[in-house]
Amino acid sequence: MSVRRLLTASACFAALTFGAGLSHAQDYDVSFDNAVHHEARITVTYREVGSAPVRFQMSRSSPGRYAVHEFAKNIYSVSAVDGRGRPLTIDRTDPYGWTVPGHDGTVSLSYTLFADRSDGTYSQIDASHAHLNMPATLAWATGFDDRPVVVRFKPFSPDWIVATQLQPQAEPNTFAAPNLQYLMDSPTELSAHMVREWTVDDAGVPRTIRIAMHHAGTDAEMDTFTERARRIVDQQIAVFGDVPDYDFGTYSFIADYLPWVNGDGMEHRNSTIINDTRSLKDANFDQLGTLSHEFFHSWNVERIRPEELEPFDFTRANPTPSLWFAEGFTSYYGPLTIRRAGVANTDAFLGEMGGQLDFVQNAAGRRFGSPQEMSLRAPFVDAATSIDPTNPNIFVSYYPYGAVIGFGLDLTLRQRFPGVTLDDLMRAMWRTHGVPERPYAPADIEAALAEVTGDPAFARNWFARTIEGSDLPDFGPLLAQAGVLIQPVRPTAAWAGAVRLPAMGAPVIAAALAPGTPLYAAGLDRGDQIVAVGDKAIAGQTDWTAALAAAKPGDEVSIRFLQRGVERSAMLRFAPDPSFTLVRVEAGGGLVTPAQLAFREAWLGAATE
Ligand SMILES: [Zn+2]
């Protein structure tokens, strides 16, 4: 059953957890006696399971990450007992699970977990913390998904406290979830961490926002971070005009800012993991970028949710064609609301969006698929690992691709439909799919666009060209409304394509070249060694840079290269460098008009609602 339907009855669940209902719950005991060697010892008990064999398994996927992960690979020393503590036989028929055939209606499975990667998908256990992503941590039995769950932690150190979206119980270090889906969505951090919290007003109802931060920084740094986070949170609430009804009343940012974690952000219904290897000081609070992105997800993807993700199937990849909206539009609103909050200036925002636009507009991959196709490829790229190479030129990440589409649509709406903005589209999706939660299909986004513009033909045409096809709008006139210019980075430089050569040693091309670039057209590929350009020998990066500097766009020269043991030669025709940035017209020496300034203020200024 879906988390969403179940949690509409969360008040009922709250009563349940403190009453007799929990006697039917399955419970987990999680301890960390061997934390220094990255081990947890976990026991899960299922009661009143009938007489049939019980199959336990580890998840193979985790919400918000799209590749398959084999979490069972870190599980060992598995044993089982019945309700009276008698040892039970375990059948191992496949790598993912453990089946217990003969029991008395109660089965306790115990196992050791090894975990040493702290991010949004994995777990890390050491003397400093237990950072737990539940699909990577907790085994579960098939067929009992709707039962409530209790989790008891035994902290490794007495100063560890617990940060989680699970519901706290009366007993210390004990938490509950209404069902398996909610449990798996609830990452948990046990450590000696700092906590700040405040409330936001949801039409008269206070909702608590909490930041739990495990870091080596000062209280003053934590306070500065919190103050900026509050402003970003306020601007995002203003986009939707509503605060999600966080289950159990609280939303938690769970941050690990330590050198031994992995940088990441991962969204959940009422919490997020926001990790970074840098301290707040070293990063100059740059971590707010991830915070902004992930908080926006508490509307867009957690509650305005693609139907393909609901309910989540933990035994396989869960692909959806709508990540250009779920991740991409979120990637536009992350920096946009940071700008509106006054945490970054207009130039920083234009720098960020200009970088994404440059990347997407010049990406070879768009000719191989639409944003929907790129979204469906997520299981192959989102933390997916394999030993055989894939062609990197057939994929454009739905993060920047979707961000650029949102950017372009926002400017298009403001141009063609006075008074209408992308915020109106987000609010329409919130009204029709967020409260109450009703997962959406791709056609629902088109319908919402038709609703806010009052122009179904525009919505159909935009969807067909931009989402089912690979078109991008002409950004020049769209950006001119705001007095923003598209400025070439190196307008007179000769360009052969993005090519990586080692800083030292022989000039061997280190990464695949993109179709449409001069080196690709000349027949060079990854692994080839450049020998000479014209009559100049190329011994390394310095010679290559000098050869480029001596040429101009349109020049044609001979190039010699060593390819899989054979020396070849070809003609190389230099092109103009296509890379560009976005700049304010007045920063480029031009004159900004009052209308352009007014447009900028309406778009990037603080919302005061
Ligand atoms: Zn995201």
Side-chain angles (χ1 to χ4, degrees):
M1 183 185 277
S2 100
V3 181
R4 273 123 268 278
R5 273 176 290 144
L6 262 178
L7 286 178
T8 52
S10 62
C12 165
F13 163 65
L16 233 189
T17 56
F18 295 103
L22 279 187
S23 63
H24 295 262
Q26 44 254 21
D27 50 60
Y28 290 85
D29 286 283
V30 185
S31 58
F32 309 99
D33 294 344
N34 196 21
V36 294
H37 297 116
H38 316 294
E39 285 185 344
R41 186 70 186 167
I42 298 168
T43 297
V44 53
T45 301
Y46 281 71
R47 299 180 187 81
E48 299 179 31
V49 293
S51 55
V54 177
R55 178 183 156 81
F56 293 88
Q57 65 190 309
M58 287 300 285
S59 298
R60 303 186 70 207
S61 56
S62 184
R65 187 116 282 151
Y66 292 92
V68 164
H69 297 279
E70 300 297 4
F71 297 123
K73 71 187 176 187
N74 281 321
I75 303 299
Y76 45 93
S77 302
V78 183
S79 60
V81 298
D82 68 10
R84 282 182 278 177
R86 293 175 299 200
L88 298 172
T89 304
I90 296 173
D91 287 346
R92 270 287 269 173
T93 55
D94 64 80
Y96 316 110
W98 302 264
T99 300
V100 183
H103 52 77
D104 61 0
T106 295
V107 183
S108 286
L109 188 84
S110 297
Y111 58 93
T112 299
L113 166 75
F114 172 86
D116 194 19
R117 185 182 165 97
S118 171
D119 69 6
T121 306
Y122 301 99
S123 297
Q124 181 169 64
I125 297 153
D126 59 34
S128 81
H129 68 173
H131 167 104
L132 307 175
N133 187 48
M134 294 317 185
T137 304
L138 300 180
W140 46 278
T142 312
F144 308 98
D145 295 10
D146 293 344
R147 293 189 182 184
V149 183
V150 169
V151 186
R152 283 182 293 269
F153 296 105
K154 187 168 157 255
F156 172 70
S157 168
D159 62 358
W160 280 12
I161 54 176
V162 183
T164 181
Q165 68 173 29
L166 293 167
Q167 190 191 29
Q169 302 298 290
E171 311 86 78
N173 301 316
T174 304
F175 299 85
N179 52 51
L180 184 79
Q181 290 270 328
Y182 192 90
L183 175 72
M184 287 291 150
D185 188 51
S186 303
T188 299
E189 163 84 15
L190 295 94
S191 55
H193 54 254
M194 289 183 188
V195 178
R196 298 287 187 276
E197 61 180 44
W198 69 97
T199 60
V200 292
D201 175 57
D202 183 18
V205 181
R207 312 270 179 217
T208 300
I209 310 289
R210 176 179 296 152
I211 303 178
M213 189 184 297
H214 184 204
H215 70 143
T218 65
D219 276 296
E221 287 161 1
M222 176 81 180
D223 291 336
T224 300
F225 184 87
T226 302
E227 187 271 327
R228 294 181 188 180
R230 287 182 69 149
R231 280 150 60 193
I232 294 166
V233 163
D234 287 347
Q235 287 303 316
Q236 297 198 354
I237 292 169
V239 169
F240 291 96
D242 191 18
V243 184
D245 296 351
Y246 298 120
D247 307 302
F248 319 123
T250 300
Y251 181 92
S252 300
F253 293 101
I254 304 173
D256 269 318
Y257 297 147
L258 294 160
W260 52 89
V261 307
N262 292 84
D264 197 13
M266 183 55 68
E267 68 278 6
H268 299 276
R269 269 185 75 81
N270 310 297
S271 62
T272 175
I273 294 296
I274 42 174
N275 271 19
D276 200 274
T277 54
R278 301 166 299 174
S279 66
L280 291 177
K281 186 159 169 276
D282 289 350
N284 193 23
F285 303 96
D286 191 36
Q287 292 93 344
L288 288 161
T290 309
L291 175 141
S292 183
H293 177 100
E294 302 304 333
F295 189 64
F296 199 81
H297 273 317
S298 74
W299 291 270
N300 189 28
V301 95
E302 288 301 330
R303 290 173 175 81
I304 304 171
R305 192 149 175 89
E307 63 182 5
E308 300 82 7
L309 302 183
E310 202 51 43
F312 195 85
D313 185 341
F314 291 93
T315 66
R316 61 166 176 86
N318 290 241
T320 164
S322 297
L323 292 180
W324 62 269
F325 182 77
E327 287 297 353
F329 277 35
T330 300
S331 294
Y332 172 58
Y333 273 100
L336 179 62
T337 53
I338 287 177
R339 169 67 200 107
R340 287 179 180 170
V343 170
N345 62 23
T346 297
D347 289 344
F349 172 74
L350 292 177
E352 164 93 35
M353 292 315 301
Q356 300 204 42
L357 181 58
D358 175 35
F359 172 77
V360 173
Q361 197 142 286
N362 290 316
R366 275 197 301 125
R367 69 184 79 179
F368 298 101
S370 68
Q372 292 192 325
E373 168 64 21
M374 297 309 163
S375 300
L376 286 172
R377 290 183 191 175
F380 308 142
V381 293
D382 185 43
T385 55
S386 51
I387 56 170
D388 62 324
T390 49
N391 185 344
N393 294 308
I394 60 169
F395 180 70
V396 185
S397 168
Y398 40 83
Y399 284 88
Y401 198 171
V404 160
I405 290 169
F407 184 38
L409 181 59
D410 198 2
L411 294 172
T412 302
L413 292 173
R414 289 167 191 268
Q415 182 185 53
R416 293 191 45 167
F417 303 95
V420 180
T421 75
L422 198 66
D423 295 5
D424 295 300
L425 178 70
M426 299 314 296
R427 284 185 185 216
M429 287 298 288
W430 180 242
R431 274 196 313 275
T432 49
H433 299 281
V435 269
E437 293 170 44
R438 189 173 65 82
Y440 68 84
D444 292 320
I445 305 173
E446 184 186 327
L449 186 58
E451 181 202 320
V452 299
T453 58
D455 189 343
F458 165 80
R460 173 84 292 265
N461 185 45
W462 180 84
F463 213 83
R465 292 173 61 121
T466 313
I467 305 306
E468 294 159 357
S470 303
D471 282 7
L472 288 178
D474 181 359
F475 275 86
L478 292 176
L479 289 161
Q481 302 177 90
V484 174
L485 297 171
I486 298 174
Q487 197 166 74
V489 177
R490 287 173 291 273
T492 58
W495 184 75
V499 59
R500 271 207 300 131
L501 300 176
M504 311 280 279
V508 175
I509 298 171
L513 299 164
T517 62
L519 280 168
Y520 186 101
L524 283 84
D525 195 22
R526 180 175 65 94
D528 295 356
Q529 180 178 337
I530 301 172
V531 176
V533 171
D535 56 4
K536 294 271 193 301
I538 305 293
Q541 173 75 61
T542 312
D543 293 340
W544 172 249
T545 306
L548 279 173
K552 52 185 193 309
D555 285 358
E556 207 167 8
V557 294
S558 66
I559 182 166
R560 281 193 291 130
F561 54 100
L562 201 56
Q563 184 173 68
R564 305 233 161 165
V566 178
E567 187 170 308
R568 300 182 185 280
S569 69
M571 293 308 286
L572 175 67
R573 189 182 166 84
F574 292 107
D577 188 336
S579 52
F580 59 84
T581 56
L582 301 182
V583 291
R584 287 176 295 118
V585 63
E586 64 273 34
L591 233 73
V592 65
T593 68
Q596 289 171 331
L597 287 174
F599 186 98
R600 255 185 231 166
E601 180 56 26
W603 175 33
L604 304 176
T608 50
E609 194 176 344

